[in-house]
Amino acid sequence: MQLSSKILLGMALGIVVGLILNMISDVSDSGPLTAWVVEYIFDVVGRIFIASLKLLVVPLVFVSLVCGSAAMGENVKMGRIAFKTLALYLFTTAVAITIALTLANIINPGIGIDTTATASYVAATPPAFKDVLIGIFPTNPIQAMSDGNMLQIIVFAILVGVAITQAGAAGKSTLDGFQAFNDVIMRMVTILMHLAPFGVFCLLAKLFTEEGFTAIFNLALYFMTVTLVLLIHAGVVYTSIFSFFTRLNPLTLIKNMRPAMLFAFSTSSSNATMPITMNVVEKRVGVDNSIASFTVPLGATINMDGTAIMQGVATVFIAQAYGLDLGLTEYLAVIATATLASVGTAGVPGVGLIMLSMVLQQVGLPVEGIGLIIGVDRLLDMMRTVVNVTGDGMVTTVVAKSEGLLDEEIFNEVSDRDEYSSAQPNS
């Protein structure tokens, strides 16, 4: 069985076991036993798995990006790649929220919602955009790595890579060391991927034991609207952009990206999935490391198409629930705010709801309306993370193709074999 099939099986079993335990705890006296299984087996194994993924994020991003920026050579090329990447990420985010606002106004998911049952929600204070721009540049790279500040790590890694290219013999020997270290880290990623079926099983078993499907039933129309827009964005927008710029088969890209998409669904975190995404776009999609090492970490930090879709639908939902009308000016403000906020709130915990609070404040909607959707946000977060990671892979591949750094032989053939099998030779 291929690794992606094992992960899919682990996900399915985790959901089934979680729903069974959820039903058993509701109709019997097995609550304490269920709680013990969830807290001391599922939660422990799931948290260790997530911690192991996060362990690799900072060293992988830093070392891989140093190697990639050093391999770029000329600074002009790096600037061109950065411009293409940022432009594509911001464009797809703007398209995502535009589609979300349009469909939400057609479906009207918030009409008839009882706002008296609103859960309490206190919005965290988002950082000012000026502070975000200044904060991109690190004053202490060690602290940036300790805090997991991806934008600062990216900037520092690029500076180190550029310096290596200009340091002569010393730079060459330093680069050899970074490349060797990068090979070791990628091997660690491969080892961890073999443990993924057990990790995703425990994560989903815990989630569905606690959540069940009750929350979905209560907000079914909102849930279905967000899900529909996510499917349209991934299945139509991404595939159209990919086909237009690369002239390659988008279904092949989706098939090759499958392991990263499954990880994203299980972990609900683009950052935690980043080592897997990096491995997949290089080994299965055929993107050169010099491109992937820059576009993937940047995408995991600022590309939030799935989150933007949630914000668009949630904005219309909350406005309708409270009986408030939004005009064209307010909708344009939502699009602009959500697009810029995808960069401005990068790296902030609970980024989705913080971005939504910024959008609601911008158009004068009650922030406490977020409490209406908290019940299903965790389940929707799984799906929108899949869209975010798929977008990272799509943009990475488009940029690599435009720079002539996409191995089309790997792109077209690797999806037919399992390169993570223990029978495969070390690369």
Side-chain angles (χ1 to χ4, degrees), residues 309-387:
I309 287 169
M310 179 273 289
Q311 292 163 5
V313 177
T315 299
V316 175
F317 174 82
I318 292 171
Q320 292 174 348
Y322 283 92
L324 302 173
D325 292 326
L326 297 179
L328 179 61
T329 302
E330 285 80 11
Y331 284 130
L332 292 175
V334 170
I335 294 172
T337 304
T339 303
L340 294 177
S342 66
V343 178
T345 55
V348 178
V351 64
L353 296 181
I354 290 177
M355 289 172 64
L356 179 56
S357 69
M358 293 173 62
V359 171
L360 294 178
Q361 291 171 7
Q362 184 68 31
V363 294
L365 292 176
V367 176
E368 58 268 22
I370 294 176
L372 292 170
I373 62 173
I374 285 180
V376 295
D377 189 69
R378 178 65 178 84
L379 297 172
L380 288 173
D381 194 18
M382 299 160 67
M383 290 185 283
R384 64 181 184 245
T385 305
V386 174
V387 172

Side-chain angles (χ1 to χ4, degrees), residues 12 23 37 74 90 113 127 148 151-152 174 186 195 216 222 229 260 302 319 358 406 417:
M23 290 186 292
V37 171
E74 49 187 310
L90 293 178
I113 295 295
L151 291 178
Q152 292 188 357
T174 302
M186 294 302 286
L195 303 176
I216 297 179
Y222 168 76
V229 182
I302 71 170
M358 293 173 62
L406 176 67
R417 58 185 171 87

Side-chain angles (χ1 to χ4, degrees), residues 132-386:
V132 173
L133 291 177
I134 297 173
I136 290 175
F137 299 91
T139 57
N140 185 339
I142 304 302
Q143 183 178 353
M145 294 179 187
S146 176
D147 295 341
N149 190 319
M150 282 299 115
L151 291 178
Q152 292 188 357
I153 294 171
I154 289 171
V155 169
F156 181 62
I158 291 175
L159 292 175
V160 173
V162 171
I164 284 176
T165 62
Q166 301 177 7
K172 185 179 184 306
S173 60
T174 302
L175 180 59
D176 290 340
F178 271 106
Q179 289 173 337
F181 192 22
N182 187 56
D183 290 341
V184 172
I185 294 175
M186 294 302 286
R187 179 54 54 186
M188 291 175 65
V189 174
T190 302
I191 292 171
L192 184 60
M193 291 182 74
H194 286 291
L195 303 176
F198 305 101
V200 300
F201 168 81
C202 292
L203 287 171
L204 295 182
K206 177 180 184 294
L207 174 65
F208 281 89
T209 299
E210 295 175 344
E211 299 285 343
F213 280 129
T214 305
I216 297 179
F217 294 147
N218 294 338
L219 291 170
L221 194 56
Y222 168 76
F223 188 93
M224 289 188 293
T225 303
V226 176
T227 303
L228 175 63
V229 182
L230 290 171
L231 291 172
I232 291 174
H233 192 66
V236 178
V237 176
Y238 283 162
T239 55
S240 299
I241 293 174
F242 182 80
S243 299
F244 178 79
F245 284 108
T246 67
R247 306 300 179 187
L248 297 172
N249 188 349
L251 296 180
T252 304
L253 174 69
I254 293 174
K255 187 176 181 181
N256 289 341
M257 286 291 298
R258 186 170 52 186
M261 295 165 68
L262 295 176
F263 267 83
F265 183 84
S266 305
T267 62
S268 302
S269 171
S270 297
N271 277 342
T273 310
M274 194 193 306
I276 311 304
T277 308
M278 190 96 72
N279 185 291
V280 165
V281 297
E282 291 182 23
K283 304 297 184 182
R284 290 175 65 99
V285 180
V287 175
D288 189 88
N289 174 262
S290 62
I291 299 292
S293 62
F294 174 73
T295 57
V296 171
L298 187 64
T301 308
I302 71 170
N303 179 41
M304 300 186 180
D305 292 1
T307 305
I309 287 169
M310 179 273 289
Q311 292 163 5
V313 177
T315 299
V316 175
F317 174 82
I318 292 171
Q320 292 174 348
Y322 283 92
L324 302 173
D325 292 326
L326 297 179
L328 179 61
T329 302
E330 285 80 11
Y331 284 130
L332 292 175
V334 170
I335 294 172
T337 304
T339 303
L340 294 177
S342 66
V343 178
T345 55
V348 178
V351 64
L353 296 181
I354 290 177
M355 289 172 64
L356 179 56
S357 69
M358 293 173 62
V359 171
L360 294 178
Q361 291 171 7
Q362 184 68 31
V363 294
L365 292 176
V367 176
E368 58 268 22
I370 294 176
L372 292 170
I373 62 173
I374 285 180
V376 295
D377 189 69
R378 178 65 178 84
L379 297 172
L380 288 173
D381 194 18
M382 299 160 67
M383 290 185 283
R384 64 181 184 245
T385 305
V386 174

